[in-house]
Amino acid sequence: MKTLVRVKKGSFPVRYNNEKYNVGDEFEVLNEHANHSSFEILGEIEPPKKRSTKTTPTE
């Protein structure tokens, strides 16, 4: 799963997946990376639920 984070005020710019994020930038990281000291956790992102393709018989 992924987590939405923001770069904390007073932190150095962060590089994640070859992109540079500055203070105040919000982006998605994998859960195992969300506990970094430069990140403020904003919330977990739920993957979209799969829709059931079952159909009920109509009469």
Side-chain angles (χ1 to χ4, degrees):
M1 282 216 306
K2 291 191 174 185
T3 302
L4 184 63
V5 297
R6 178 185 301 139
V7 180
K8 285 183 181 179
K9 197 174 194 175
S11 297
F12 289 104
V14 175
R15 193 168 291 280
Y16 187 79
N17 284 343
N18 296 321
E19 292 195 38
K20 182 179 171 185
Y21 298 95
N22 295 311
V23 172
D25 288 349
E26 297 178 5
F27 59 102
E28 297 175 5
V29 298
L30 294 174
N31 282 0
E32 57 262 20
H33 300 148
N35 292 326
H36 192 277
S37 62
S38 296
F39 297 155
E40 174 186 347
I41 297 174
L42 301 176
E44 284 192 0
I45 299 170
E46 295 291 326
K49 293 183 179 180
K50 293 183 180 179
R51 288 188 176 182
S52 175
T53 57
K54 290 182 182 177
T55 56
T56 55
T58 55
E59 294 179 26

